[in-house]
Amino acid sequence: MSWEDNVRKVVPYVAGEQPKNQDIIKLNTNENPYPPAPRVAAVIKGFDYDILRRYPDQNVSALVSALAGHHGLDREQVFVGVGSDDVLAMSFLTCFNSGKPILFPDITYSFYDVWADLYRIPYENQPLDENFCIRKEDYIRDNGGIILANPNAPTGVASERSVYEEIIRANPDSVVIIDEAYVDFGGESCVPLIGKYDNLLVMQTFSKSRSMAGLRIGYAMGSKKLIKYLSDVKFSFNSYTMSNLAIAAGVASVEDEAYFAETTAKVVATRERTKRELARLGFVFPDSKTNFIFAAHRAVPGQELFEALRANGIYVRHWNKPRIENYLRISVGTDEEMDKVLAFLEDYLKNKE
Ligand SMILES: *Cc1c(COP(=O)(O)O)cnc(C)c1O
């Protein structure tokens, strides 16, 4: 026996690299290529640092109100945390507590199985179909909870709201979490279903469409009952999750609707152009509704392309996992960045012929 036998052992999630070198084209963590809203910059520049002496508002009221207004919900239907990773971790702890296996796809955000393992929640993976779509029948069976990303990551594939509604309606005894980290780039949000189903929890984040990954803001929306349970767990864990500065900057971002719409539209336009170019170069990919494209080349293996791009200062994401080992997840950068990536690929593939 040793103390080590009594330690909780986990295999942690591995995030995409954050290299020190600023010269690289960084398309490996789905960050937004545009800066946060000008109003966010103004709030940070004018921030009264003396406030940092004080604990922040433990109810995060200003940001909860702004988000409730933005989504047409009551304040009691919104819960804010330190990025959606924090809110998701808290939600797993709160909602997946039955001892029965929770369900999620075989190819999805690779943090879900890490949280399940951390909390000792049993889980079963349901295979996506050959087009990387979920099959709703797979989620209409006995379970301890369901977590689905829509659009899904790393595939970029979105399904219609009606598919999720059927799953939610068929599972009144489980909480169904829909992770909408990328929904602003073209998915169909399940927020309109919140009033109809009190077992639904919808996650969103400021990290992608609001260009604020560095400040760490994510949130959940759901029935008042469900949000109260989530909130009780948070207050049993750490009352002061959101800093003063994050709250102020978050409010400023929500208030700058025009900038949000403009930058999101720019990312979508660049994505659509990049899709056409990648197809021309011999790549295949499911139709992305996100700020990344999950693409495989018809002839050249994923690992080889990943390494060639990296050697040339272009970072994308690649997983050596069954079914997806030939795919690269390429975040959508600026038009200039995508032009460089496409030019490199065109050149590399030409030299292979
Ligand atoms: C990026 C991402 C998150 C987490 O984002 P935060 O930065 O923690 O808000 C959650 N789910 C998916 C599917 C993501 O891609």
Side-chain angles (χ1 to χ4, degrees), residues 31-240:
E31 290 151 333
N32 200 302
Y34 302 108
R39 198 183 290 222
V40 174
V43 162
I44 292 176
K45 280 190 192 125
F47 189 71
D48 174 13
Y49 73 91
D50 182 59
I51 287 178
L52 296 176
R53 287 189 300 117
R54 304 279 184 210
Y55 278 106
D57 169 15
Q58 46 186 300
N59 297 311
V60 200
S61 310
L63 187 49
V64 164
S65 296
L67 288 168
H70 179 75
H71 289 285
L73 298 168
D74 290 332
R75 300 162 38 102
E76 298 82 4
Q77 294 179 290
V78 179
F79 173 92
V80 175
V82 189
S84 51
D85 286 342
D86 173 58
V87 183
L88 281 161
M90 206 70 75
S91 304
F92 271 53
L93 182 62
T94 310
C95 304
F96 298 156
N97 203 28
S98 74
K100 287 189 210 169
I102 62 167
L103 309 177
F104 52 89
D106 60 340
I107 302 165
T108 191
Y109 189 36
S110 43
F111 225 136
Y112 300 154
D113 51 0
V114 174
W115 287 312
D117 287 336
L118 171 65
Y119 294 130
R120 313 291 189 245
I121 301 165
Y123 63 90
E124 276 171 21
N125 291 130
Q126 306 300 318
L128 296 177
D129 72 13
E130 62 285 1
N131 300 314
F132 293 141
C133 289
I134 59 165
R135 292 180 301 205
K136 63 172 184 267
E137 317 81 73
D138 292 343
Y139 301 90
I140 303 182
R141 64 220 289 274
D142 198 33
N143 65 74
I146 294 170
I147 167 94
L148 296 165
N150 184 46
N152 197 10
T155 61
V157 173
S159 298
E160 285 173 12
R161 185 191 294 135
S162 58
V163 172
Y164 299 97
E165 179 160 16
E166 269 190 70
I167 293 171
I168 298 159
R169 193 190 309 121
N171 284 285
D173 299 335
S174 304
V175 174
V176 179
I177 302 178
I178 308 293
D179 181 353
E180 296 187 347
Y182 300 101
V183 77
D184 297 323
F185 299 107
E188 208 179 359
S189 176
C190 285
V191 168
L193 303 178
I194 287 173
K196 275 169 94 174
Y197 304 97
D198 60 4
N199 59 327
L200 166 64
L201 198 59
V202 180
M203 293 293 146
Q204 291 191 11
T205 174
F206 283 50
S207 297
K208 279 71 183 231
S209 55
R210 293 189 179 275
S211 308
M212 289 167 77
L215 261 185
R216 313 303 303 130
I217 307 174
Y219 56 107
M221 297 165 279
S223 62
K224 292 183 186 180
K225 219 193 258 184
L226 192 42
I227 294 298
K228 170 73 164 65
Y229 284 123
L230 198 50
S231 182
D232 286 346
V233 168
K234 168 200 143 157
F235 284 113
S236 311
F237 213 94
N238 176 4
S239 304
Y240 303 106

